[in-house]
């Protein structure tokens, strides 16, 4: 296996972890919305807005952490 393919595998693993974290968070949000949905439409609307905001923050933080881990592991573009 040459150096380019090793770098490609490391990059794919980094983005795969981002996608997996997003999928797990979305599943958690669905179950949370099902529980909050029992409280009424107003509660559901407020929690969906909050989840959207938290999802954006989580995505940015996760991407930054992946970039730092790639840089500190010796993988640079």
């Amino acid at each position: 296996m040459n150096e380019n393919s090793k770098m490609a595998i490391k990059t794919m693993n980094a983005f795969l972890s981002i996608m997996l974290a997003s999928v797990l968070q979305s599943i958690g949000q669905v179950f949370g919305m099902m529980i909050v949905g029992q409280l009424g439409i107003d509660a559901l609307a407020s929690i969906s807005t909050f989840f959207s905001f938290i999802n954006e923050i989580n995505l940015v933080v996760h991407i930054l952490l992946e970039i730092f881990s790639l840089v500190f592991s010796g993988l640079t573009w």
Side-chain angles (χ1 to χ4, degrees):
M1 195 177 285
N2 63 12
E3 192 65 33
N4 287 336
S5 60
K6 287 181 183 179
M7 187 171 26
I9 289 173
K10 285 184 181 181
T11 305
M12 287 190 312
N13 285 339
F15 288 113
L16 185 63
S17 67
I18 292 173
M19 291 187 328
L20 181 62
S22 294
V23 166
L24 290 176
Q25 184 177 9
S26 295
I27 291 171
Q29 287 176 356
V30 167
F31 285 118
M33 288 180 140
M34 289 168 63
I35 293 169
V36 172
Q38 302 295 321
L39 300 175
I41 293 176
D42 291 335
L44 190 59
S46 65
I47 200 75
S48 67
T49 302
F50 178 73
F51 277 153
S52 173
F53 177 69
I54 292 298
N55 196 18
E56 293 298 323
I57 290 174
N58 186 29
L59 180 64
V60 169
V61 169
H62 198 81
I63 289 173
L64 288 175
L65 288 174
E66 287 294 332
I67 289 171
F68 287 138
S69 70
L70 290 174
V71 168
F72 289 127
S73 69
L75 176 65
T76 57
W77 286 282

